[in-house]
Structure formats: C-alpha cells, structure tokens
Amino acid sequence: MQSLTFETKVSTDHQVQLPDDLPVGVLVRITVERLTDDPMAEDYQPRTEIGRLALAARKAYLASGGELRSADEISEEVRRRRGGLSDE
C-alpha cells in the first residue's frame, strides 16, 4: 500500500472513524485538514440567470434548515419515490 485517502467527520467527542481495511502494523501519517462543508464557496458567482436563480434557491433551502445530499442519497430518494423501481 503506497497511500490511502479517506474522508471522515469528527464526532462531538472528537473520535475519528478509521477505515476497517486499514492494514494492521503499518506506520501511517494522519494529517488533519479542514474541508469546506459546501463545495460552492461563498465567492462562487454563476454566469447565467438560471445559475443565479438556482444558487439563490439552494441558499434559501440551506438557510431554512435543508441539508445537502450525496449523489447516492439523491438516487435512493428517486428510487423510493418511484415505488422502489430503479433506472436500470
């Protein structure tokens, strides 16, 4: 193993979950780097009107307590709303 990259969230008791397949007995270096929670940084400026409207809707959704979802979570919700049917 040359390198392994993973992302995790630090819990309130500051515990970090390491991957189960991390080799035992291997010397590792862990670097803590803060990652932005929002891939669209505050300085992002859409170039089109539809982009500005979409960004405004996104910000309003987040401000009202909405949470961003991963692609897998979105796919699961679409599947659930279709009555369990998938795209395949």
Side-chain angles (χ1 to χ4, degrees), residues 16-67:
V16 175
Q17 180 65 43
L18 298 175
D20 292 334
D21 58 349
L22 192 63
V24 174
V26 173
L27 181 63
V28 298
R29 175 179 292 127
I30 297 176
T31 303
V32 177
E33 175 184 356
R34 184 181 184 109
L35 301 176
T36 178
D37 292 336
D38 189 351
M40 289 199 168
E42 294 173 7
D43 59 346
Y44 175 75
Q45 294 296 317
R47 294 181 294 193
T48 64
E49 182 61 22
I50 189 86
R52 286 186 282 279
L53 291 171
L55 182 57
R58 180 182 193 272
K59 286 181 177 181
Y61 172 73
L62 293 174
S64 70
E67 295 182 9

